[in-house]
Amino acid sequence: MPYAKIIGSGGYLPPRVVSNDQLAADLATRQIETSDTWIVERTGIRQRHIADEGVMSSHLATEAARLALEDAGVTAADIDLIIVATSTPDFVFPSTACLVQANLGAKGGAAFDVQAVCSGFVYALTTADAFIQAGRAKTALVIGAEVFSGILDWNDRGTCVLFGDGAGAVVIQASAEPGIIGAQLNADGSQTKILCAAGNVSRGKVTGDPFLRMDGQAVFKLAVNCLAKSAHEVCEQAGIALTDVDWLVPHQANIRIINFLGRKLHIPEEKVVVTVDSHANTSAASVPLAFDVARRDGRIKTGDTVMMQGVGGGFTWGSVLVKM
Ligand code: UT7
C-alpha cells in the first residue's frame, strides 16, 4: 500500500488585522470590558485576522489551496480528491469543497467537507490518507478553512476575543516513501454542550442559538488530557518514541494549553510550533496554518517527524504523525 506524503502547503489569512487593543476599544463602546493584558495573560493571543463581510470560507480556502498547489508543483488538474474541514461552510450545501473545486477549475474526483470543528484538519488529513492508501485517490488537497467571526457573539467577552479567520492547506500524494505514518482520531459525543454552535436554518429561519458557546474551563481540562493521551497512542501505533518527534504542531487555542501539553509530553518549547499569538484560534485552519508557517520559515525540513494535533467541539480530538 502506498504512503500519503505531504508535497506542498499554503496558508491564507484575511488582510484585516485586529489587535487586542483595537478589539478592547470596540467592545468598550458597548460597555464590555476586556484588555490586552487579560487576553495575553490568559490566552497568549495578541491579534487576530478578521474577514470582511461577504468573505467566506471557500474564498480563504481557495487562496490557501492555490499556494499549496504552487508549492507542491502540481496543478488543479492533478487533484482527484478535495476535503475541506470547516464548521463555517459558505452554505448548508453545496459543500465548501465543491466551491473550492470550481474556483480552482479542478475537474473530476471527489470533493466533500469534514465537520469536526477544531479537530477538523486532522480528521480530514486522516480521511485523505485512507483514500490514498486504499488506492482511491492519488493527489489530494486537504484544507482547513474558517470564518469563525461570523458565528461569534460579539457581546460575549468569554469567547469573542479568542477566535480569528483563516485557511491552511496541504497537498498529499501517493508515494512509496513514508509520509503519514500514524493517525489517531477520537470523539466523545456526550460532551457536546461544552463547545457548540447549536443553531440551524429551518423552514426559512434560524432556529436555536446561532452563536458559538463554550465552557472554557471544561474544554481546557479535557484538551490537555486528551491530547497527551492521543500523542502517546499515535507514537505507539507508529512504533516511534515521543523523543523521535521533531516538531509538535498542536491546535492553536491557548498558549497555556500548548505549554501544559508540551510539559506533560516532555517536548521542549523549541520543538513546538506556536502561532496563536498572531492568528488566535482559527479552528480547523489553525494546524495547517501553523504547519505552513514552520515549513516556509525553514524549521520543518525534509526527513523531520511532525506530530499534528487537533481538539475541539464534538468533543473531538486526534493526532497525525507525518514523516516529511
Ligand atoms: O478551539 C477549541 C478549543 N478551545 C479551547 O481550547 C479554549 C479552552 N479554554 C480557555 O482557553 C480558557 O478557559 C479561556 C481563555 C476561555 C478562559 O480563561 P480562564 O483562565 O479559564 O478564565 P475564566 O473563564 O475562569 O474567567 C476568569 C475571569 C472571569 O471573571 P471572574 O468570574 O473571575 O470575575 C471572567 O468573567 O475572567 C473574566 N473574563 C474576562 N475578563 C476580561 C472572561 N473573559 C474575559 C475577557 N476579558 N475577554
Side-chain angles (χ1 to χ4, degrees):
M1 275 205 296
Y3 287 102
K5 202 157 182 72
I6 295 183
I7 59 165
S9 65
Y12 181 78
L13 293 152
R16 185 153 61 98
V17 176
V18 179
S19 69
N20 288 347
D21 281 332
Q22 283 170 295
L23 183 54
D26 181 45
L27 292 178
T29 62
R30 299 198 297 283
Q31 278 73 53
I32 299 164
E33 201 188 314
T34 190
S35 64
D36 175 59
T37 310
W38 189 95
I39 302 170
V40 172
E41 274 176 9
R42 301 288 177 128
T43 71
I45 296 165
R46 294 183 181 277
Q47 61 170 48
R48 72 283 297 136
H49 291 247
I50 300 289
D52 287 334
E53 206 162 329
V55 173
M56 296 193 173
S57 291
S58 71
H59 305 132
L60 306 182
T62 302
E63 295 304 324
R66 285 202 175 108
L67 291 166
L69 290 174
E70 190 184 308
D71 185 45
V74 299
T75 68
D78 299 312
I79 299 296
D80 53 9
L81 172 66
I82 300 175
I83 308 181
V84 176
T86 186
S87 300
T88 49
D90 294 27
F91 307 124
V92 174
F93 67 82
S95 69
T96 306
C98 284
L99 301 172
V100 170
Q101 189 202 43
N103 290 345
L104 295 175
K107 298 258 185 285
F112 59 92
D113 290 358
V114 158
Q115 218 284 35
V117 200
C118 304
S119 312
F121 183 76
V122 295
Y123 266 66
L125 191 56
T126 304
T127 306
D129 175 46
F131 267 69
I132 287 180
Q133 283 195 50
R136 298 212 159 89
K138 201 165 167 286
T139 309
L141 247 177
V142 184
I143 306 167
E146 304 280 15
V147 181
F148 254 50
S149 57
I151 58 164
L152 295 176
D153 178 353
W154 291 97
N155 292 313
D156 173 12
R157 68 176 182 174
T159 54
C160 74
V161 303
L162 304 175
F163 295 89
D165 303 329
V170 297
V171 178
I172 63 172
Q173 192 165 58
S175 164
E177 282 174 28
I180 293 171
I181 54 172
Q184 209 274 335
L185 302 181
N186 314 270
D188 178 357
S190 71
Q191 302 282 358
T192 48
K193 288 202 174 126
I194 62 171
L195 179 50
C196 58
N200 189 13
V201 181
S202 174
R203 295 169 203 270
K205 14 178 236 240
V206 175
T207 60
D209 183 349
F211 296 123
L212 177 151
R213 304 291 174 201
M214 179 169 72
D215 175 345
Q217 290 191 358
V219 172
F220 194 112
K221 281 184 207 139
L222 262 181
V224 177
N225 293 327
C226 291
L227 291 180
K229 189 162 179 277
S230 176
H232 286 290
E233 285 176 12
V234 79
C235 282
E236 196 178 310
Q237 183 199 101
I240 68 165
L242 261 171
T243 46
D244 295 330
V245 173
D246 298 299
W247 297 103
L248 175 64
V249 186
H251 174 47
Q252 308 286 320
N254 187 323
I255 192 65
R256 287 157 55 215
I257 295 180
I258 295 172
N259 289 344
F260 264 112
L261 180 68
R263 282 200 292 275
K264 233 175 145 84
L265 297 176
H266 304 290
I267 297 181
E269 266 177 40
E270 317 80 75
K271 289 183 164 192
V272 183
V273 179
V274 174
T275 51
V276 69
D277 52 338
S278 52
H279 298 175
N281 182 348
T282 58
S283 190
S286 92
V287 170
L289 271 168
F291 173 78
D292 183 60
V293 165
R295 257 191 91 234
R296 285 179 190 260
D297 69 19
R299 275 179 287 171
I300 296 178
K301 292 186 278 302
T302 305
D304 284 353
T305 301
V306 180
M307 186 189 291
M308 302 188 196
Q309 292 203 296
V311 60
F315 201 72
T316 57
W317 67 100
S319 309
V320 177
L321 266 182
V322 185
K323 192 93 188 150
M324 295 299 300

